Amino acid sequence: MNQVELIRALPKAELHVHIEGTFEPELMFAIAQRNQIQIPYKSVEEVKQAYNFHNLQSFLDIYYAGANVLVHEQDFYDLAWAYFEKCAEDHVVHTEMFFDPQTHTDRGVAFSTVINGLKRACADAKAKFGISSQLIMCFLRHLSEEAAFETLEQALPFKQDIIAVGLDSSEVGHPPAKFERVFAKAREEGFLIVAHAGEEGPPEYVWEALDLLKVNRIDHGVRSEEDEHLMARLINEKMPLTVCPLSNLKLCVVKDMKDHNIRRLLQKGVHVTVNSDDPSYFGGYMNDNFFAIQQALDLNNDELKQLAINSFEASFISDEEKQKWIAEIQKI
Ligand code: ADE
Ligand code: ZN
């Protein structure tokens, strides 16, 4: 089997995808029209031309503007359903999706509207495609600690539907330490913890995510390689990094995919996984990310299988399910 065939055949888990980042321009236009909301583009082509980012903030400005057309429960359902169709095509059999409630509640959309739409799509994806899923609620780190506490309060009635709490948005200038107390409360309430760190921010932010937020996974974390003590810690603790190659390329975290460190991290023994982040904005879903790194870094079949195995090991599914999927991969 060649590498392209193997990538398609491997069952995979996605652990780093923002559901608002799967919003394809065609669906954005359709929902904007039915909700009678103006968007600053005349055509799908014009939207795509605007996706010309030079850093994280230039992307986030456009990403939050796009999410403004989501108003009704059905809008959140349609958004998630379209993503599940991509999962089915790419043989993603399990996904742990981020959602950003503050992007919606700050516009007057109820927390329940967001989560009920997403949950209904998750149930239908299980029934129709056999895809399992979990939801991870993220705090927007450019907003205040107080706003994060309010969001956590709103999430408590839906505790059984949210596996973990995460931290995203503008990284530099908003270190994990800013949210130490709200993450302590989230842990007390029984949520697992993840956080974006070491995407644009320095290795110190990864240390803080580990020591202050007590994360179960680091999202991105690619800048950890700049600190050898941190690398030793990640390797010792088998701490997963949810790496997003096409995102790193689009947001100029790396200049060329040939410069991406995911293969080196894997070879050094870091528990790296492959993910799509915001696939509608960054040029591809799960398999496109695998194809891009395979081509640029010449990954062999054993490395590709290891990345797929890592995705299940780092996921929040039961040990029994992990073993089932890993056995499937080993049979290929
Ligand atoms: N929100 C959506 N995508 C993100 C990313 N790559 N980093 C931080 N926040 C985000
Ligand atoms: Zn992300």
Side-chain angles (χ1 to χ4, degrees):
M1 198 181 287
N2 68 31
Q3 280 84 21
V4 169
E5 290 164 341
L6 177 65
I7 289 166
R8 293 209 171 100
L10 285 169
K12 292 161 291 272
E14 174 137 80
L15 309 178
H16 186 151
V17 59
H18 301 261
I19 199 60
E20 295 89 348
T22 69
F23 207 2
E24 290 288 343
E26 290 78 3
L27 184 60
M28 198 182 288
F29 263 88
I31 293 182
Q33 202 160 39
R34 79 185 182 208
N35 290 343
Q36 302 196 331
I37 293 174
Q38 296 288 329
I39 52 174
Y41 310 105
K42 286 197 196 69
S43 66
V44 166
E45 274 321 300
E46 220 181 281
V47 181
K48 289 184 179 163
Q49 273 161 22
Y51 292 179
N52 189 11
F53 316 116
H54 45 276
N55 59 22
L56 177 57
Q57 194 59 50
S58 61
F59 153 70
L60 289 170
D61 293 342
I62 286 183
Y63 161 86
Y64 294 129
N68 281 344
V69 307
L70 299 163
V71 178
H72 303 293
E73 186 188 308
Q74 189 63 37
D75 304 340
F76 293 93
Y77 176 92
D78 291 345
L79 174 68
W81 184 253
Y83 166 63
F84 279 120
E85 288 182 324
K86 303 285 190 184
C87 289
E89 277 173 36
D90 279 2
H91 206 15
V92 170
V93 297
H94 175 73
T95 178
E96 297 177 3
M97 302 181 286
F98 300 129
F99 70 109
D100 290 339
Q102 288 157 295
T103 302
H104 314 298
T105 54
D106 284 1
R107 298 179 287 116
V109 176
F111 192 100
S112 58
T113 300
V114 180
I115 198 158
N116 288 338
L118 299 178
K119 267 171 53 184
R120 190 154 56 82
C122 291
D124 285 358
K126 183 73 191 162
K128 181 164 178 200
F129 298 129
I131 297 173
S132 58
S133 55
Q134 299 277 11
L135 296 175
I136 301 176
M137 176 180 84
C138 287
F139 299 129
L140 298 181
R141 69 203 304 159
H142 68 276
L143 300 179
S144 67
E145 181 199 36
E146 188 190 355
F149 267 113
E150 277 168 26
T151 304
L152 182 59
E153 211 51 50
Q154 290 173 7
L156 293 182
F158 301 96
K159 214 163 149 177
Q160 70 286 356
D161 302 313
I162 299 171
I163 186 90
V165 170
L167 186 64
D168 65 3
S169 192
S170 321
E171 187 180 5
V172 175
H174 303 283
K178 176 176 166 186
F179 297 95
E180 183 176 358
R181 291 184 296 191
V182 68
F183 274 88
K185 171 93 163 92
R187 288 199 311 278
E188 258 172 49
E189 294 287 352
F191 294 103
L192 296 170
I193 304 296
V194 299
H196 284 53
E199 178 186 16
E200 280 190 347
E204 288 70 30
Y205 284 23
V206 181
W207 283 108
E208 286 187 11
L210 296 170
D211 290 334
L212 305 183
L213 308 189
K214 305 192 192 306
V215 291
N216 300 92
R217 295 195 294 249
I218 295 284
D219 295 316
H220 292 292
V222 288
R223 287 196 57 195
S224 303
E225 207 186 17
E226 296 167 25
D227 178 339
E228 68 179 277
H229 292 113
L230 177 58
M231 286 289 283
R233 167 101 181 255
L234 296 174
I235 294 163
N236 269 339
E237 292 186 5
K238 210 177 167 203
M239 177 59 61
L241 303 188
T242 63
V243 177
C244 307
L246 286 173
S247 164
N248 295 152
L249 186 65
K250 271 280 183 180
L251 301 186
C252 307
V253 171
V254 292
K255 281 204 183 63
D256 189 299
M257 198 58 99
K258 287 192 164 56
D259 301 329
H260 203 288
N261 63 1
I262 189 165
R263 187 179 195 192
R264 236 178 13 248
L265 291 169
L266 183 69
Q267 287 171 342
K268 288 178 178 174
V270 182
H271 199 92
V272 285
T273 65
V274 177
N275 305 272
S276 68
D277 204 7
D278 300 283
S280 162
Y281 294 89
F282 298 152
Y285 288 77
M286 176 64 92
N287 285 358
D288 299 311
N289 276 274
F290 265 95
F291 295 145
I293 54 171
Q294 195 287 319
Q295 273 172 18
L297 306 173
D298 197 25
L299 297 178
N300 62 38
N301 285 9
D302 287 341
E303 289 167 321
L304 294 169
K305 283 187 183 181
Q306 191 59 53
L307 289 167
I309 289 171
N310 286 359
S311 75
F312 292 102
E313 283 184 341
S315 75
F316 298 142
I317 59 178
S318 68
D319 285 344
E320 203 182 340
E321 284 173 294
K322 288 182 187 182
Q323 286 320 312
K324 182 191 88 177
W325 288 118
I326 292 167
E328 290 255 332
I329 292 169
Q330 280 160 346
K331 272 194 295 198
I332 295 174

